[in-house]
Every structure is written in structure tokens, then in C-alpha cells.
Amino acid sequence: KPKRRALLPKPKSHISEGDVMNRSVRQKMNWGLMPYANTVSTVMPASIMRGNREVFGVFPGERNFNRFPGWLGKNSTHGKNRRLLHELHSHATTSNGFKADSAALRESYLPLLKVLTTQPMRSEAMGGREKEGIPDVMEVMDGYCLTRTDWESIQDLTRLKGAGPMFQDPVAGIPTATKTAFTRECNKTSRVVHSGILAGEAKRGKMR
């Protein structure tokens, strides 16, 4: 471990040199330096620090495996959730009664919207009304200018991992026939958010 730590300054120096070369390539169009920049900034540091990953005891209970691939997956999910939240917020703000920011939407509104847009369609054994609850769900969605895709986004953004009633997926309690009828109701007209109004435009028949 001390030997590996003593080698750390060398790859840092090579990476810095590679950045200088890369800047020269991009700013001064010295394209001939590109192979050397790649070698100095990647191959040489990797060659110096080659070997199995070591745990230095900095973090208690740290496991000996590469964390970077896991970070890539988490970062990808984070970016997707931010995009979904932005779309939800842009649709909700077109309604007349919603004035909160995206943070308040996520913290205060989405948990309630999740219940209001799923509970009425759950099975009778779970306190729902199945197909008879679809009009109530559509009324809530129209009030916030939400589309069928937004309904899916609400479920994704409020899904939590864990054990217990609060971690259960409410969509799992919706019968398949009810979910199909709900999708059919949303697809009867193409629901478009425009100028603060959730407009329903009749679908055009196929040309014969």
C-alpha cells in the first residue's frame, strides 16, 4: 500500500501533461499531438497504477470492487429522473392553479398525485373501484394538464426501494383490464398540452 501511494503523483503529472497537449490540439489545431495526448493521459497512468484495486481503509466497511460502473448507472438514472420531472413541471405549470417550482412538485405534489391517480383504479379488495374509478383519475390529470406518459413518469419518480406498505407499488393493485381501459380512455383523443389547456384533438382516420 505505501508503494502504491508513492506512485500516485506520477499518473497525476501525466494526466496534467495530457491536458496541456489536448488544449494545444484543440486551440492551435496541432492534430499531430493527439496520439501522444491519448497515450500520456490514459495509457501511461493506467500502466503505472496497474494491478488489483486496494482498499486503503479510508471508508469503514469499504468493499474491494470498482465503483465507477455503478456510478454511471446511478448518474444515468438521475439524468432521466430530472428530465421526467422537468416535463411534468412544464405541463403542470400550464394549468391555472399550479404555481410551485419543480422541487415542491417532487416533494409535496407527486406523492399525493400518485395516490389520486392510482387508488381509484385499484381492485375492490384493495379499496378501489376499478373501471368506475377511471373518470376520477382523468379529472385529476386534466386539472394538472397531465398526459398518459406523465402518469407513467409519476410512478417512476415516486418509486422507492424497501420493505413495508409505503414501498409497495400501487400500480400492482390495478387489474389488467382496468389498466387497459384506462389506456384506451387516454388514447381516445390525442391529449396535447397547449397554451395552458389540455386539448383533445380527434384522431384522423387512415386514408383509404
Side-chain angles (χ1 to χ4, degrees), residues 43-185:
V43 177
M44 294 179 67
S47 177
I48 295 172
M49 299 302 297
R50 67 184 182 276
N52 297 328
R53 181 179 182 274
E54 297 177 359
V55 178
F56 297 117
V58 178
F59 304 100
E62 182 182 9
R63 292 177 292 178
N64 187 12
F65 69 97
N66 294 327
R67 295 186 296 266
F68 188 65
W71 178 88
L72 286 176
K74 296 293 184 181
N75 185 61
S76 176
T77 302
H78 175 69
K80 172 190 173 184
N81 289 340
R82 288 191 62 180
R83 177 179 56 80
L84 294 178
L85 182 61
H86 176 73
E87 293 177 357
L88 275 172
H89 183 258
S90 63
H91 291 173
T93 50
T94 59
S95 64
N96 295 326
F98 184 82
K99 304 299 181 183
D101 58 11
S102 58
L105 173 63
R106 173 61 186 90
E107 296 174 3
S108 303
Y109 284 81
L110 288 190
L112 180 59
L113 286 174
K114 179 180 182 178
V115 176
L116 294 177
T117 58
T118 56
Q119 181 62 35
M121 296 189 296
R122 302 186 78 178
S123 63
E124 295 181 357
M126 303 183 71
R129 294 184 290 121
E130 300 185 8
K131 293 183 179 180
E132 294 181 359
I134 293 178
D136 294 341
V137 174
M138 300 297 294
E139 182 179 358
V140 173
M141 293 175 62
D142 290 346
Y144 287 91
C145 294
L146 302 178
T147 65
R148 178 65 171 82
T149 303
D150 294 332
W151 186 85
E152 295 285 352
S153 299
I154 292 174
Q155 315 311 319
D156 291 338
L157 291 171
T158 56
R159 185 175 292 113
L160 302 174
K161 293 182 179 180
M166 67 175 298
F167 297 101
Q168 294 179 356
D169 185 8
V171 178
I174 302 177
T176 302
T178 302
K179 191 181 299 184
T180 302
F182 170 63
T183 302
R184 189 181 303 114
E185 182 68 23

Side-chain angles (χ1 to χ4, degrees), residues 1-6 54-57:
K1 293 181 180 180
K3 182 178 179 181
R4 184 66 63 87
R5 290 178 180 176
E54 297 177 359
V55 178
F56 297 117

